[in-house]
Every structure is written in structure tokens, then in C-alpha cells.
């Protein structure tokens, strides 16, 4: 719901080839031009290459508009939906899904995005992990709901509409007043 992506439809799946030649052939097929080997890393394309291609396009016919939209979708995939830790590359495995321009919206992009987030969270929970990737924007709504419910129980102490250095928590019938020094003394 946050991204407005469909969760029903065709699965976002396909074969992943780790070949620059396959990457090059797919880019030629989709965009009419291929990146240099220096504009790739393994099976990923630099986002700057896609941005430059998108900016250079002359939107004169249906084909150039489709290439523009495909570049834009790949940029969204590489930055928001399925980004890597570097934030600079997108895996080319998504390109074949953009082959049939009409069917792009028939895929379950929302389900794939959630699966990617869960996998990223699983990897991030390892003791040796130092970074996290994935569509972390999806966690923002959950965090806001949690923080809203936590902080809704905390109200500032006030005296004639003047905030005092402390907080009041209420749990139904009783209220407890805390000041920063009370909290620090218990630590």
C-alpha cells in the first residue's frame, strides 16, 4: 500500500545469468544501446549509465518513450525497490520483465519488494553484518505506528501551560511523574 504496487499477479521471477555478454545483449534489445564493461559490475549496471541514457533520449516516437520509461523503472528498481548496499547499481535480471511493455503492470511487484525486504532484514540480523539494503521505506510506516503508540502514553508535565523538565506517563488510573534526574539516577 505504501508504494502502491500490486501484490496480485505474475511472479517476479526469472533466470539470473552472470555473463556480461548476456547483459550486453539484453540492454541492446531493451534500450538499443549497451553499457561498456566499465559501466557494469558483475551482473549489475551502474545507475549513472541509466540516468545518462534517460537524459539523452529524444522523446520523438513510441519506441523512445518506452525506452525512457524502462530506464525510469530500472532506476526505481535500483534505488527504491531492490537497491543494493552501494546504491549505485541495479541488477540486470529485471530487464527481461520489462520486455513486454504492456505486461509490466501485471507482475506482483509488491510481493517481490516485501520478499526482498524480509531477506534484507534476515541478512542484517547476522552478527557480522554492518549495513542493510532493501526497501527500508516500507519500515517507516511501521516505525511511525510503533513510536506513535509508545509516545501517546507520555505527556509533558505542565504547570500553567509551561513545560517542566519531566514527563508524565499514564496507564489507566495512575500517573507517574519522572524527571530526567530520576531516570539518570536509576541508570
Amino acid at each position: 500500500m505504501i508504494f502502491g504496487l500490486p501484490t496480485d499477479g505474475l511472479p517476479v521471477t526469472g533466470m539470473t545469468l552472470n555473463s556480461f555478454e548476456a547483459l550486453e545483449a539484453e540492454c541492446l534489445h531493451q534500450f538499443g544501446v549497451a553499457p561498456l564493461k566499465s559501466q557494469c559490475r558483475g551482473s549489475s549496471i551502474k545507475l549513472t549509465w541509466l540516468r545518462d541514457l534517460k537524459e539523452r533520449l529524444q522523446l520523438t516516437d513510441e519506441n523512445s518513450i518506452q525506452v525512457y520509461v524502462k530506464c525510469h523503472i530500472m532506476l526505481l528498481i535500483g534505488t527504491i525497490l531492490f537497491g543494493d548496499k552501494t546504491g549505485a547499481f541495479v541488477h540486470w535480471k529485471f530487464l527481461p520483465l520489462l520486455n513486454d511493455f504492456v505486461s509490466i503492470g501485471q507482475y506482483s511487484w509488491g510481493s517481490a519488494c516485501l520478499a526482498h525486504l524480509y531477506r534484507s532484514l534476515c541478512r542484517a540480523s547476522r552478527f557480522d553484518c554492518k549495513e542493510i539494503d532493501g526497501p527500508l521505506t516500507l519500515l517507516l510506516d511501521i516505525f511511525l505506528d510503533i513510536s506513535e503508540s509508545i509516545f501517546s502514553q507520555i505527556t509533558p508535565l505542565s504547570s500553567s501551560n509551561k513545560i517542566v523538565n519531566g514527563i508524565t506517563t499514564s496507564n489507566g488510573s495512575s500517573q507517574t511523574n519522572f524527571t530526567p534526574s530520576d531516570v539518570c539516577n536509576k541508570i
Side-chain angles (χ1 to χ4, degrees):
M1 290 180 67
I2 293 172
F3 289 151
L5 297 171
T7 54
D8 292 332
L10 300 171
V12 177
T13 184
M15 212 165 41
T16 303
L17 300 173
N18 293 326
S19 150
F20 177 74
E21 291 75 24
L23 179 153
E24 188 177 40
E26 189 64 33
C27 285
L28 281 170
H29 175 70
Q30 296 282 352
F31 303 124
V33 63
L36 301 172
K37 202 164 193 165
S38 62
Q39 296 167 319
C40 300
R41 184 190 70 193
S43 298
S44 298
I45 306 166
K46 280 188 177 180
L47 293 174
T48 53
W49 181 80
L50 286 165
R51 281 187 195 105
D52 292 343
L53 176 60
K54 183 180 160 190
E55 289 174 8
R56 287 191 318 263
L57 285 170
Q58 300 293 321
L59 304 178
T60 56
D61 60 358
E62 177 96 12
N63 187 46
S64 62
I65 293 171
Q66 286 185 5
V67 169
Y68 181 89
V69 171
K70 288 177 184 182
C71 285
H72 188 77
I73 292 171
M74 286 297 286
L75 288 166
L76 288 173
I77 288 171
T79 56
I80 296 172
L81 303 179
F82 303 101
D84 66 357
K85 291 180 184 179
T86 67
F89 294 90
V90 61
H91 201 286
W92 75 274
K93 67 185 173 187
F94 299 104
L95 271 176
L97 299 173
L98 308 181
N99 197 23
D100 182 11
F101 196 73
V102 177
S103 69
I104 294 171
Q106 294 176 356
Y107 287 101
S108 179
W109 292 104
S111 300
C113 191
L114 279 175
H116 181 66
L117 173 65
Y118 296 150
R119 184 173 182 198
S120 298
L121 290 172
C122 182
R123 277 187 254 145
S125 68
R126 295 182 185 153
F127 75 94
D128 59 342
C129 183
K130 306 256 187 279
E131 298 174 331
I132 186 171
D133 63 358
L136 301 177
T137 307
L138 295 176
L139 297 177
L140 183 61
D141 190 48
I142 293 168
F143 174 74
L144 291 176
D145 287 345
I146 291 170
S147 64
E148 196 173 280
S149 66
I150 291 170
F151 294 120
S152 66
Q153 300 298 317
I154 300 173
T155 57
L157 282 175
S158 61
S159 171
S160 65
N161 294 333
K162 183 178 174 187
I163 295 176
V164 180
N165 290 331
I167 55 173
T168 302
T169 63
S170 62
N171 58 355
S173 60
S174 64
Q175 286 193 342
T176 309
N177 296 329
F178 294 101
T179 62
S181 59
D182 291 337
V183 176
C184 291
N185 288 337
K186 292 181 181 182
I187 295 177

